[in-house]
Amino acid sequence: MEVYLLYLGLGAVAGLISGLFGLGGGVVIVPILIFTFTAQGLSPDILTHLAIGTSLATIVITSISSVSAHNRHGAVLWRVALWLTPGICLGAALGAVFAISITGASLQLAFGVFLCLVAGKMAFPINPDGGANMPGPAGKTAVGGVIGFVSSLFGIGGGSLSVPFLTWVRVPVKHAVGTSAACGLPIAVSGALTYLYKGYGAVELPPHAMGYIYLPAFIGIVASSTIFARFGARLAHRLPGDMLSKGFALLLFLIGMRFVWINVRLLVA
């Protein structure tokens, strides 16, 4: 019971921050789970893979609610989302396979670099003007593959990649966000299933893990994160957003640099 209460609390924190700053849940959930699994004494060889697989599993549930909300407002361009989906599913599966094939230290190092890039985008937002036409079927499949691969590698829903791409090809921001949410579901499903399947039989997994998905964390985060994400979204309208975003970007940058520093030392030792 104490373990489930712990993850209910972590889910509340992740949801609040996600709603407050408009971040995809994985950017918050993965580092929180890495720190928590480390404190629980889980093996460094598997804890990062477990954090990413669990994050994707939670995104499966939370993205359903997000897609439904955007669809009610007519913000999802289903034709675009469906063309991107085959590439997304293949890329997400390959991203998970690649992540599992490398060491936990290498994966944390890559995730640390990714967090630093996200922090830079938050602190100095660059919104690309429309500069290209929507690619054809083959192009959309290729783009979907890249989005799926990177998202599954880092345990995120893909919004940090798909929204800039859709905006660049002249999709209005409202529809870019809604369509990105629709793309997040196949990313999470394909990635989570791959982490679950490839993780079966992995050594040093804790009790109550299904492959690289840790059920106590999954249940606790899903139960509380969606509720607190809504609260965070409402709170965002009452607080000085620019100052908060830059402050949180600094925190993400420091966390990312910590992952980079620790794991560079491990890899060169």
Side-chain angles (χ1 to χ4, degrees):
M1 181 59 68
E2 290 178 356
V3 171
Y4 283 99
L5 289 174
L6 168 66
Y7 287 110
L8 277 171
L10 292 179
V13 172
L16 181 66
I17 294 173
S18 176
L20 191 58
F21 298 107
L23 289 171
V27 173
V28 179
I29 292 170
V30 172
I32 286 177
L33 288 179
I34 288 174
F35 292 140
T36 306
F37 291 160
T38 301
Q40 287 182 248
L42 299 189
S43 168
D45 295 332
I46 58 95
L47 68 83
T48 307
H49 304 87
L50 196 64
I52 292 172
T54 304
S55 172
L56 287 169
T58 66
I59 292 170
V60 172
I61 306 302
T62 56
S63 67
I64 293 173
S65 172
S66 176
V67 173
S68 176
H70 284 293
N71 189 53
R72 283 197 302 272
H73 291 89
V76 180
L77 300 178
W78 286 108
R79 185 184 181 93
V80 175
L82 291 174
W83 272 114
L84 290 169
T85 293
I88 279 173
C89 290
L90 178 61
L94 292 175
V97 170
F98 176 72
I100 293 165
S101 72
I102 63 177
T103 65
S106 298
L107 191 54
Q108 276 197 33
L109 173 59
F111 185 73
V113 172
F114 176 73
L115 278 187
C116 291
L117 293 174
V118 172
K121 187 176 185 300
M122 281 189 70
F124 308 101
I126 299 174
N127 298 312
D129 296 327
N133 295 320
M134 180 69 72
K140 284 195 279 286
T141 300
V143 169
V146 173
I147 292 171
F149 183 91
V150 175
S151 301
S152 184
L153 180 63
F154 297 129
I156 62 173
S160 57
L161 301 173
S162 53
V163 171
F165 164 71
L166 291 169
T167 305
W168 183 57
V169 295
R170 300 188 179 95
V171 173
V173 173
K174 172 186 173 182
H175 291 97
V177 173
T179 306
S180 172
C183 292
L185 182 57
I187 288 171
V189 169
S190 181
L193 287 175
T194 306
Y195 278 99
L196 185 152
Y197 174 74
K198 297 291 286 185
Y200 266 110
V203 296
E204 299 185 277
L205 284 175
H208 312 301
M210 292 178 59
Y212 287 118
I213 298 174
Y214 186 48
L215 292 179
F218 168 75
I219 293 169
I221 290 170
V222 166
S224 59
S225 63
T226 303
I227 297 170
F228 279 84
R230 293 172 185 160
F231 177 70
R234 288 198 296 268
L235 192 62
H237 296 288
R238 305 178 184 177
L239 297 174
D242 186 61
M243 185 167 57
L244 280 174
S245 292
K246 284 183 168 51
F248 188 66
L250 176 61
L251 177 61
L252 278 184
F253 178 77
L254 293 174
I255 293 171
M257 286 305 299
R258 181 180 184 276
F259 285 144
V260 170
W261 173 247
I262 289 174
N263 290 287
V264 164
R265 292 173 62 192
L266 284 175
L267 290 169
V268 300

